[in-house]
C-alpha cells in the first residue's frame, strides 16, 4: 500500500472513485504478504500488485465491479482451484483479498491517512472484512485521534485500543471481535494495517563496506544513518542520497538516539576505540539486530573488552559477530548482501540454508 499511496491520493483528491484490493490473509507459499495492495482507477489504470501476477486479472474485474455497484467483496484465491493456472496461485499458496470502492463520501479519512504516511506519522487503518458489520467500513487510528467508523461505538473503541497497541510495533493482520467490540467473541473480522515510520538502520564506521551496507539498507526500506567521528570519511557523497551522514563519536551519537525493536545496528568501525564504546551502548538498548564486523581475532579481543566493561552473558548473546551469513563474500557489495541476508533471516526466523536442501513450505504458516 505504501508504494502506491501517492497515486491513490491523487485519484482521491480528484474525487475519482477507484477500486482498492488488499491482501488480508495468506497461507502456505503466497507471493505477497498481508497489506499488499492493487488499485484500479480511471480508465482502467492499475497500480500495485496482490500476487505478483497470478490473480491480477480476476482482481482487476472485481475492483471495477466494486466501483460500479458500491459494494465491498471478499475473495480467496488458491492453488486448489480447478482453474488455478488461469485464475489462481500457481506457486501453491492461497491469499484472501478484500476489494472495496474508495470515494471521499465512503472513506472521508483516506486523504488524512495518505498525508500521515507521506509525513512519517504513524497511523493504522482498520477495515471490516467479514461478519455482522458493514464490510469495507474503515476506521483510521492515530496515537491520539481517530476518524471514521466500523459500525458501532463499542467496536470502534475496542479496535482503536488494539490498533494503537499494534501501531507501536508496526503490526498488520486480522483481529476478531463481537458486533459491539466484545473481545470474547469472534463474529466480526477486522483487518488492521499499520503504517509505522520506516525502521532505522544505524551504520557506524564510514568505510567502503558501510557505503555498500547503507545502499542495501536503503533498498530494503530502512531509514539509514551513517555515523563516524572522522569527517574525512563521513562525507555525504559516498553514501546513498537518502542516507543521513553524521560526524560524531558513535557511542555519543547512539546515546542521544532513540531505537526500538525494529532498529538495525551495524558496527563497521573495526577499531576498539570506536566499536567497544558503541557496542556497550547498543547491547543495553532495544534493537532487532546488532552486528559487528571483524576477524575471529578481532571478535575475541572485542568480546574480552566488553566482558571487562561489565556486559552480562545475556547482553552479549544479542551480538552477531562477525556479522553476516557465510556466503564466501569478498567485495563490500558481497559483504553487504551477507549482512542483509542475516538481518532478514533473523527477522523471519530463517536458517540461511539453501531452499533446494529443505522440505516443506517455503513460507511457514503465520509468516507474512
Amino acid at each position: 500500500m505504501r508504494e502506491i499511496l501517492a497515486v491513490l491520493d491523487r485519484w482521491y483528491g480528484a474525487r475519482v472513485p477507484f477500486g482498492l484490493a488488499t491482501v488480508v490473509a495468506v497461507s502456505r507459499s503466497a507471493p505477497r504478504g498481508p497489506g499488499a495492495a492493487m488499485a484500479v482507477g480511471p480508465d482502467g489504470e492499475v497500480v500495485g500488485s496482490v500476487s505478483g501476477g497470478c490473480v491480477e486479472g480476476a482482481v482487476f474485474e472485481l475492483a471495477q465491479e466494486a466501483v460500479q455497484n458500491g459494494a465491498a467483496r471478499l475473495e480467496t484465491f488458491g492453488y486448489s482451484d480447478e482453474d488455478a493456472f488461469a485464475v489462481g496461485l500457481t506457486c501453491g499458496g492461497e491469499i484472501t483479498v478484500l476489494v472495496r470502492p474508495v470515494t471521499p463520501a465512503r472513506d472521508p479519512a483516506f486523504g488524512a491517512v495518505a498525508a500521515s504516511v507521506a509525513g512519517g506519522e504513524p497511523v493504522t487503518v482498520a477495515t471490516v472484512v467479514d461478519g455482522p458489520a458493514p464490510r469495507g467500513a474503515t476506521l483510521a487510528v492515530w496515537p491520539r485521534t481517530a476518524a471514521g467508523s466500523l459500525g458501532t461505538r463499542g467496536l470502534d473503541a475496542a479496535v482503536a485500543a488494539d490498533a494503537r497497541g499494534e501501531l507501536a510495533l508496526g503490526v498488520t493482520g486480522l483481529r476478531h471481535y463481537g458486533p459491539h467490540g466484545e473481545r470474547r467473541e469472534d463474529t466480526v473480522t477486522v483487518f488492521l494495517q499499520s503504517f509505522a515510520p520506516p525502521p532505522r538502520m544505524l551504520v557506524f564506521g564510514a568505510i567502503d563496506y558501510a557505503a555498500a551496507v547503507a545502499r542495501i539498507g536503503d533498498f530494503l526500506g530502512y531509514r539509514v544513518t551513517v555515523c563516524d567521528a572522522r569527517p574525512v570519511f563521513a562525507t555525504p557523497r559516498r553514501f546513498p542520497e537518502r542516507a543521513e551522514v553524521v560526524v560524531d563519536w558513535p557511542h555519543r551519537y547512539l546515546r542521544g538516539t532513540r531505537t526500538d525493536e525494529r532498529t538495525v545496528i551495524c558496527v563497521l568501525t573495526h577499531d576498539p576505540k570506536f566499536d567497544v564504546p558503541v557496542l556497550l551502548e547498543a547491547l543495553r538498548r532495544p534493537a532487532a539486530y546488532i552486528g559487528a564486523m571483524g576477524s575471529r581475532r578481532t571478535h575475541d579481543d572485542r568480546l574480552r573488552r566488553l566482558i571487562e566493561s561489565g556486559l552480562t552473558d545475556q547482553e552479549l548473546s544479542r551480538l552477531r559477530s562477525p556479522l553476516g551469513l557465510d556466503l564466501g563474500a569478498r567485495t563490500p557489495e558481497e559483504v553487504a548482501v551477507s549482512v542483509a541476508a542475516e538481518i532478514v533471516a533473523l527477522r523471519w526466523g530463517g536458517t540461511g540454508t539453501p531452499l533446494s536442501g529443505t522440505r516443506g513450505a517455503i513460507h511457514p504458516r503465520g509468516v507474512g
Side-chain angles (χ1 to χ4, degrees), residues 5 51 54 66 73 83 86 90 96 124 168 215 217 264 302 316 349 358:
L5 204 51
S51 74
C54 299
R73 183 167 170 177
D83 58 344
T90 55
T96 300
T124 292
R215 285 195 295 271
V264 165
R302 177 192 296 135
L316 287 170
T358 64

Side-chain angles (χ1 to χ4, degrees), residues 173-240:
L174 295 174
R175 298 293 180 270
H176 303 278
Y177 307 87
H180 298 281
E182 300 90 340
R183 297 183 183 277
R184 294 185 178 181
E185 298 184 27
D186 60 1
T187 55
V188 178
T189 302
V190 177
F191 181 64
L192 299 184
Q193 185 169 13
S194 297
F195 296 94
R200 296 197 68 183
M201 173 182 280
L202 305 178
V203 181
F204 295 103
I207 60 176
D208 289 345
Y209 290 97
V213 169
R215 285 195 295 271
I216 204 164
D218 180 66
F219 175 76
L220 291 175
Y222 287 93
R223 183 162 64 93
V224 179
T225 297
V226 180
C227 175
D228 198 305
R230 300 163 294 185
V232 67
F233 295 121
T235 57
R237 67 176 179 273
R238 301 180 61 217
F239 298 97

Side-chain angles (χ1 to χ4, degrees), residues 271-307:
D271 186 330
K273 70 175 179 289
F274 293 123
D275 59 17
V276 171
V278 75
L279 286 172
L280 284 171
E281 181 69 32
L283 292 167
R284 289 169 169 159
R285 58 168 53 229
Y289 175 91
I290 303 170
M293 174 177 277
S295 65
R296 301 290 182 189
R297 180 178 297 178
T298 298
H299 167 74
D300 291 341
D301 177 68
R302 177 192 296 135
L303 200 60
R304 176 183 58 80
R305 293 169 184 265
L306 292 172
I307 292 172

Side-chain angles (χ1 to χ4, degrees), residues 17-212:
F18 59 89
L20 177 62
T22 305
V23 176
V24 296
V26 303
S27 67
R28 302 192 301 278
S29 299
R32 302 294 302 275
M38 166 182 158
V40 180
D43 302 319
E45 182 181 354
V46 177
V47 293
S49 170
V50 294
S51 74
C54 299
V55 302
E56 267 65 13
V59 172
F60 175 84
E61 300 203 4
L62 291 173
Q64 288 192 314
E65 290 176 10
V67 172
Q68 292 169 4
N69 60 32
R73 183 167 170 177
L74 192 67
E75 290 287 341
T76 297
F77 300 93
Y79 184 74
S80 58
D81 297 342
E82 292 183 2
D83 58 344
F85 188 79
V87 188
L89 296 174
T90 55
C91 62
E94 183 176 275
I95 62 172
T96 300
V97 180
L98 177 69
V99 185
R100 65 186 182 93
V102 178
T103 65
R106 293 177 60 95
D107 204 339
F110 190 91
V113 169
S116 292
V117 175
E121 179 185 6
V123 60
T124 292
V125 178
T127 308
V128 174
V129 171
D130 204 4
R135 177 176 287 164
T138 61
L139 175 71
V141 182
W142 289 268
R144 293 179 179 81
T145 60
S149 178
L150 304 180
T152 66
R153 293 179 61 183
L155 183 58
D156 290 346
V159 171
D162 287 351
R164 290 190 176 103
E166 303 289 18
L167 184 56
L169 300 175
V171 174
T172 288
L174 295 174
R175 298 293 180 270
H176 303 278
Y177 307 87
H180 298 281
E182 300 90 340
R183 297 183 183 277
R184 294 185 178 181
E185 298 184 27
D186 60 1
T187 55
V188 178
T189 302
V190 177
F191 181 64
L192 299 184
Q193 185 169 13
S194 297
F195 296 94
R200 296 197 68 183
M201 173 182 280
L202 305 178
V203 181
F204 295 103
I207 60 176
D208 289 345
Y209 290 97

Side-chain angles (χ1 to χ4, degrees), residues 228-263:
D228 198 305
R230 300 163 294 185
V232 67
F233 295 121
T235 57
R237 67 176 179 273
R238 301 180 61 217
F239 298 97
E241 182 179 350
R242 289 184 291 188
E244 177 188 28
V245 180
V246 175
V247 179
D248 199 353
W249 279 81
H251 71 282
R252 185 167 59 191
Y253 173 78
L254 184 56
R255 189 174 298 151
T257 300
R258 182 180 177 275
T259 63
D260 59 29
E261 289 75 9
R262 300 184 302 152
T263 304

